[in-house]
Amino acid sequence: MTLRDLPGLTMTALQELLRSRAVSPREVITALHERIEGIEPKIGAYLSLDLQSALSAADAADVNLPLGGIPIAVKDTISVRGQPLTCASNILRNHRALYDATAVVRLKAAGAIPFGKTNMDEFAMGSSTENSSVKPTRNPWDLERVPGGSSGGSAAAVAAGAAIGSLGSDTGGSIRQPAALCGVVGLKPSYGRVSRYGLVAFASSLDQIGPLTKSVQDAALLLQVTAGVDPQDSTSLDEPVPDYLSRLESDLHGVRIGLPKEYFRAGIDPEVKAALATAGAHFESLGAELVEVSLPHTDYAIDAYYIIATAEASANLARFDGVRYGSRAENPANLLDHYGRTREQGFGPEVKRRIILGTYVLSSGYYDAFYLRAQKVRTLIRRDFARVFENVDALISPTTPEPAFKIGERSADPLRMYLADIFTNAANLAGICGISIPCGFAENASAKPLPIGLQILCPALGETRLLQIAHAYEQATDWHRRRPTLTS
Ligand code: GLN
């Protein structure tokens, strides 16, 4: 073990080295910074780094705290006081956070050091990180391919050993989908489990902050620290936070796992399908029982999601008007010209598309036909899950229908891009929790092996069971130990 190896470690492994004083927090930050400097020209995972504050925090770190001295990369839609907060958007290019998000307050209180803001699709709208107004991020397994999105910078940094662990946000799949495409662990907590205070709102009834890490144990550790009620977020749940970590080990005998038949239809890449079949057999060998189940309203999830998410986004993004927030257009002729040009120049094409769609579905005459109907579908989807969870403890599916696609391949076709969330966005509509963990590699799609993600879903507040199932699978396999070689 040399200092150069530190950035590739899990949080848990690093914690041990820090506590035994084998390494110091300053050495960790320095080694991570060197790794980032070396690798960033290839992957472009970060939007900003503040080495000086990280080093001062390292010098003051108490390694006996739960995350003492461990650097965490933070998606650039989550506020870290004094650091840039741009959401990868032109309109916020000069904005700095005035306060810490609650998740960040809790990270810091646990001794972690927020180090680096990661690239993302602008305002978290996208599935490839190509919608960043700054730069695309590249998939460390194949630099010609996307890392997924919208938390693509977080996923790529963790996969490439350019972050120890990271926080992302998931509105329709933005933690799980990039985790799958980059071969790391990504956890979307139940709605309300982690406070959204200080997370720039995209679709407030769907957004959740969650971890992207190299192991399930690390995801449990980050959830442990960040979860819990917060007076600053009235939608945060006032429920006790279980001790996820000490309950991680468990026996899967008697656990019932559902395979939603609607998630295994045509359109799934054959290698993804095969990896899922192998994973299913693996769960059986661990003692779990597999049962086929049905989520009959699955076909409507994407439509409902893109109506509800855009409607909420159109309202949430109204504040970026150059007066309350955002950079302004120069020399406006009058107020309307000010708003018009500020938003025209400040937002990229996908964000504009969403604001227009969202305004349309909320407008008088269309509200009932689109928005209200989508809310009714949301209820049906919620009931689908409630019904199956009466009979099974968890559901498994592929996280995405296909492994990582090529940069540029889908940017001209927004509908095709939206399909990347087909297995993930129902969980946000229903408010349940989900995780993506590595479950194999596709060898045929590219000259390089591309990671495949397994999604596990559990009922709302079922994170303990979710993490147990994911951990049991991870312990019995070694997909998560493979790392990209990063040759182009
Ligand atoms: N890809 C989805 C979208 O573009 C989900 C994004 C997210 O979860 N933030 O809306």
Side-chain angles (χ1 to χ4, degrees), residues 126-444:
S127 306
S128 68
T129 313
E130 291 164 291
N131 296 338
S132 164
S133 75
V134 182
K135 59 187 175 187
T137 294
R138 293 170 181 275
N139 190 314
W141 293 92
D142 178 347
L143 299 173
E144 306 280 291
R145 290 178 187 258
V146 303
S150 63
S151 314
S154 290
V158 171
I164 309 292
S166 184
L167 283 187
S169 69
D170 191 312
T171 304
S174 278
I175 290 174
R176 291 160 288 159
Q177 187 259 10
L181 302 195
C182 289
V184 300
V185 174
L187 168 68
K188 183 203 91 71
S190 311
Y191 185 74
R193 182 71 292 188
V194 176
S195 166
R196 292 182 294 110
Y197 181 70
L199 166 70
V200 177
F202 161 11
S204 312
S205 75
L206 303 162
D207 298 338
Q208 266 296 288
I209 292 177
L212 291 111
T213 55
K214 293 166 196 148
S215 72
V216 173
Q217 192 178 17
D218 280 5
L221 192 56
L222 274 180
L223 180 67
Q224 193 77 57
V225 162
T226 50
V229 68
D230 174 17
Q232 307 270 34
D233 172 6
S234 60
T235 63
S236 67
L237 296 173
D238 192 1
E239 294 288 338
V241 179
D243 189 343
Y244 302 116
L245 278 168
S246 70
R247 295 170 66 186
L248 211 48
E249 306 291 336
S250 98
D251 182 354
L252 295 194
H253 282 92
V255 171
R256 286 168 63 84
I257 296 181
L259 298 161
K261 64 174 190 223
E262 293 80 4
Y263 285 31
F264 288 88
R265 282 192 203 140
I268 302 183
D269 175 275
E271 289 183 283
V272 172
K273 209 170 189 168
L276 256 290
T278 311
H282 226 113
F283 279 114
E284 283 181 316
S285 72
L286 291 170
E289 191 189 334
L290 295 187
V291 258
E292 189 182 90
V293 297
S294 172
L295 297 167
H297 298 94
T298 297
D299 280 353
Y300 308 105
I302 288 256
D303 307 64
Y305 169 82
Y306 277 96
I307 291 171
I308 294 167
T310 55
E312 294 184 17
S314 73
N316 277 326
L317 270 60
R319 72 193 62 165
F320 303 105
D321 57 7
V323 178
R324 288 170 290 178
Y325 290 95
S327 47
R328 297 177 182 177
E330 307 230 329
N331 306 321
N334 54 43
L335 191 61
L336 271 186
D337 182 47
H338 161 88
Y339 286 141
R341 282 198 295 118
T342 291
R343 287 165 70 83
E344 157 64 28
Q345 292 163 12
F347 292 134
E350 183 61 27
V351 176
K352 287 179 187 152
R353 184 178 297 124
R354 306 263 181 134
I355 293 173
I356 292 168
L357 274 171
T359 307
Y360 177 80
V361 299
L362 287 176
S363 57
S364 138
Y366 299 101
Y367 183 92
D368 289 2
F370 293 104
Y371 184 71
L372 205 63
R373 193 173 288 183
Q375 292 292 10
K376 289 179 179 166
V377 170
R378 184 175 189 171
T379 303
L380 296 174
I381 287 169
R382 208 185 272 273
R383 284 189 196 148
D384 278 358
F385 282 108
R387 201 173 309 113
V388 298
F389 284 133
E390 282 171 13
N391 293 313
V392 298
D393 300 290
L395 298 170
I396 60 168
S397 77
T399 308
T400 63
E402 292 160 312
F405 46 91
K406 289 219 165 108
I407 294 178
E409 191 183 305
R410 298 198 184 166
S411 9
D413 186 350
L415 286 182
R416 196 146 168 246
M417 188 74 91
Y418 295 173
L419 288 175
D421 312 321
I422 192 147
F423 302 136
T424 49
N425 64 26
N428 302 72
L429 290 168
I432 62 176
C433 56
I435 195 167
S436 178
I437 56 175
C439 77
F441 286 84
E443 308 283 348
N444 302 337

